Amino acid sequence: MSSLLQNTLIGFIMLGFAGMEFVTRRYQTSVNATHDDTKLELAMFVSLLAITQPLSILVSGKLCAWLIPEQHGAWAALPWWAMAAILLICDDMTQYWWHRMSHSPLLWPLHRAHHTAQYMSVRITYRNNFFYYLMMPGLWIAGVLLYLGFAKVYGVYLVIKLTVILGAHSAWRWDEPLYRIRALRPLMWVLERTISTPATHWAHHAMTNEDGIGHYKGNFGNLLFFWDVLFGSAHITRKYPARIGLQDDVLFGQERWFTQMFYPLFQSRRAHSALRFGARAYVEDETHGSAADALSPINEQERSA
């Protein structure tokens, strides 16, 4: 698949989901974005497309040309299904683990921005810290696979993957009406355990786990939700959390967009923050669900992600 066709298809898919958000009025009734939200989402979208992705592919390709010049295009004769399997493992599974690791104390500040939106929409799909994507293993591995001859299959794979990811973040919950159709129940049972859906991914963005729907300690899958099933982090309810975002932002105010995007180059001035060296982060008391002054930055991702 040519880059032009690939990008055109992705553009139409984005517009399609965005259009459905408006047609169903989900955007108008649920997306309450601030100016900082818009700046962060636009800046990250542009930087990923214009800087991070091209840079990772270019540099990894140059390194391959230097280290393994004889391997250029060496895997181009592999059947498409073998390439697809390699991509699912080397790109999608590694992204699952990168995402899961990003909910650990060390990497949480680089992923926190993705969870600070108090709404779900296609517009938050690429909302993250700049260095989160720059350090993502899958982008660099993709450059190696492209050097080895995966270009055509990678284009198709990327279109499919982004369709699933955009749909999982969309304010238009495409899976919701399908759950109500009795004849589709067996299909939906398989589907929700195979790919990320709005129900499973919205749970990951929930503000709390207390309602039994939210599951911010799991549901990490991007294209395949199967990784969550396989590695024990899946939570399936076919319901959607009432509140999205981080409790500490509600209590103490949202971090500035440039701090979220460029931490650690910029650091927070907030009293409770994971975006400042040595700061004490907000912790929600497990028993009573109230604010506790506490504790250490280790726990913010566990109680507020």
Side-chain angles (χ1 to χ4, degrees), residues 20-22 24-34 37 117-124 169-173 202 241-244:
M20 288 304 298
E21 290 185 354
F22 274 91
T24 59
R25 297 196 59 79
R26 289 290 308 174
Y27 187 92
Q28 296 91 317
T29 58
S30 66
V31 177
N32 53 344
T34 67
D37 286 323
Q118 295 179 20
Y119 48 86
M120 295 297 287
S121 171
V122 291
R123 59 181 284 167
I124 77 165
H169 287 91
S170 178
W172 169 54
R173 303 188 300 216
W202 280 49
R243 303 182 72 192
I244 301 294

Side-chain angles (χ1 to χ4, degrees), residues 41-54:
E41 288 157 8
L42 283 174
M44 277 306 306
F45 179 71
V46 171
S47 68
L48 178 62
L49 295 186
I51 301 173
T52 310
Q53 189 176 44

Side-chain angles (χ1 to χ4, degrees), residues 167-185:
H169 287 91
S170 178
W172 169 54
R173 303 188 300 216
W174 60 263
D175 56 344
E176 190 171 22
L178 301 181
Y179 290 133
R180 294 194 290 265
I181 302 174
R182 183 180 296 272
L184 293 181
R185 286 180 183 176

Side-chain angles (χ1 to χ4, degrees), residues 19 46 77 92 99 109 130 153 171 175 191 203 209 211 252 264 274:
V46 171
D92 198 56
H99 187 187
F130 177 79
V153 172
D175 56 344
L191 191 68
N209 286 351
D211 58 3
F252 307 114

Side-chain angles (χ1 to χ4, degrees), residues 272-285:
H272 296 268
S273 178
L275 302 183
R276 180 159 59 92
F277 296 150
R280 291 179 178 271
Y282 166 79
V283 178
E284 184 182 8
D285 182 83

